[in-house]
Amino acid sequence: MEKLIDSALKMIEPKMTVSFGGGRTVGRLIRAVKDSQLDIKIASPSEATRALCKELDLPVTSLEEVTTFDLAFDGCDSLDHHLNALKSNGGIHVFEKLYANLSKRYIILAPEMRFTKVLNPDIQLTLEVLDLAMPQIIAAVEKLGGTAKIRQSSDIAGMVRTKNGNGLLDCHFDDWSYIDEIDAELGSMVGVMGTSYFKDIVTDALLATDDDVKHVKKEI
């Protein structure tokens, strides 16, 4: 992944305002930024990334202080050839979309194996949902032909909760042929705060191959 980090680092220019998402790869990029002593403004939707920045003595800017990000780097669980992504496992997709919406370029860092013609059906669509709406949303998922399960915490009893205090609902379907329609219907339901499907948001992908980095850009 060293070449991937180098490729991402070369995209960052002094005085830029840059968002860094969550995950180990982004963490390695943050450490590279520190080592390179780049003069940039940093922000992040990830508590873990903000904690790493504090550990490295890198100042972090709040979202309220930003009007535009020059670049935003993040990971994903699955990415199709149209650069639509599922960012489900981290559970912070609502915050990630807030940052992505302000970004001129939203860049996914991932191993090439996650870049496939169609989205991987083994990766679920995750919804952030108000507690009272859970039964209605689960029924809607089942009506659409899928299954839904409230994400449970592995550390303590009870459901995983977001920083907003809401639960996460993991939705599985046999394939993602109709993900646009599924996402639109579920995402518009009362009680759904956001979904983990990133459609027409990603502009670039830096993909780590066995010995190189492939840069895929959104077709305009």
Side-chain angles (χ1 to χ4, degrees), residues 1 79 110-116 206-210 212 214:
M1 299 291 278
L79 183 70
E112 188 183 28
M113 63 184 294
R114 294 188 186 174
F115 180 61
T116 52
L206 292 177
L207 306 169
T209 67
D210 289 338
D212 206 352
K214 181 186 296 183

Side-chain angles (χ1 to χ4, degrees), residues 46-113:
S46 165
E47 288 187 75
T49 298
R50 292 195 297 271
L52 175 60
C53 289
K54 184 177 180 180
E55 177 187 322
L56 297 175
D57 199 26
L58 291 171
V60 177
T61 301
S62 68
L63 184 63
E64 293 83 357
E65 299 176 82
V66 177
T67 55
T68 304
F69 289 109
D70 296 291
L71 304 173
F73 294 96
D74 217 332
C76 75
D77 302 301
S78 180
L79 183 70
D80 71 18
H81 283 189
H82 296 289
L83 294 187
N84 297 315
L86 280 170
K87 293 176 48 58
S88 306
N89 291 329
I92 61 169
H93 46 268
V94 170
F95 293 106
E96 289 171 328
K97 281 184 178 176
L98 287 173
Y99 284 70
N101 286 340
L102 295 181
S103 304
K104 294 177 183 177
R105 296 174 73 180
Y106 188 70
I107 305 150
I108 291 293
L109 308 177
E112 188 183 28
M113 63 184 294

Side-chain angles (χ1 to χ4, degrees), residues 47 49 78 90 112 118 123 155 186 198:
E47 288 187 75
T49 298
S78 180
E112 188 183 28
V118 296
I123 302 299
D155 299 324
L186 296 176
F198 282 53

Side-chain angles (χ1 to χ4, degrees), residues 1 3 7 9 16 23 38 47 88 104 109-110 112 118-119 131 137 143 154-155 161 167 178 181-182 199 211:
M1 299 291 278
K3 289 185 177 180
S7 296
L9 198 63
M16 278 186 167
L38 280 169
E47 288 187 75
S88 306
K104 294 177 183 177
L109 308 177
E112 188 183 28
V118 296
L119 291 169
D131 285 12
I137 308 305
K143 187 176 179 180
S154 59
D155 299 324
R161 292 198 177 275
Y178 298 99
E181 293 83 354
I182 292 168
K199 178 177 173 60
D211 55 8

